[in-house]
Amino acid sequence: MKNAIDFLSAELKGAHELFAATASGLTAEQAHFNAGGNTVPIVGHIGHVLVFEDMVINGMLKGGAPLMAGGKTGFSELPPQQPPWDAWARKIKVDLAQAMDYGMKVGASAEAYVASLDDSALGKPLDLSALGLGQQTVGFMLGALVLNLHLHTGEISCLKGLQKLKGYPI
């Protein structure tokens, strides 16, 4: 890898691929399965990841309208702006094909955005005080997106396992 952007681009692409592969092949019943306790259904994890990435990349970092503004997300309603989002995750209904199509568009937009940057852009300051994160950088936010993808991919894998399904595709 030549630089930090190349590294971050590869990490983001890999996280998108693992997320999509782990979340694929589900029926609506499996995706909406509630394991009880403090868990949330797979659809909640999918919705949180996709909407968060869309808002961060297309809204916060690019300064435009998130792709969800077009209305074709597949979710009966969007997640709340602030946590907790567990009650939302337990009540939403999701058209999985449409949600995964939305996710492919969000991922492509994020990957194109990161590829358009140079290393100096990663140090650009961001005021995330409204989110309780204080002063951060673009690099911090992009790293948080990759981490969020991996964390929720793990949750999806676990919830598939509880249903006797194969979790991670690898």
Side-chain angles (χ1 to χ4, degrees), residues 60-125:
M60 180 189 299
L61 299 178
K62 290 172 73 176
L67 298 177
M68 71 180 119
K72 296 197 183 263
T73 63
F75 302 100
S76 60
E77 62 183 270
L78 297 175
Q81 295 276 337
Q82 298 288 327
W85 50 270
D86 55 328
W88 162 83
R90 289 185 190 101
K91 72 178 181 177
I92 60 165
K93 297 299 177 214
V94 178
D95 176 324
L96 288 171
Q98 191 173 51
M100 296 310 280
D101 182 61
Y102 165 63
M104 295 295 289
K105 291 173 183 166
V106 168
S109 178
E111 290 173 27
Y113 171 75
V114 170
S116 76
L117 301 176
D118 61 29
D119 283 0
S120 66
L122 298 177
K124 179 182 174 192

Side-chain angles (χ1 to χ4, degrees), residues 6-17:
D6 287 348
F7 174 77
L8 188 56
S9 291
E11 288 295 308
L12 185 60
K13 185 176 189 317
H16 283 143
E17 289 171 354

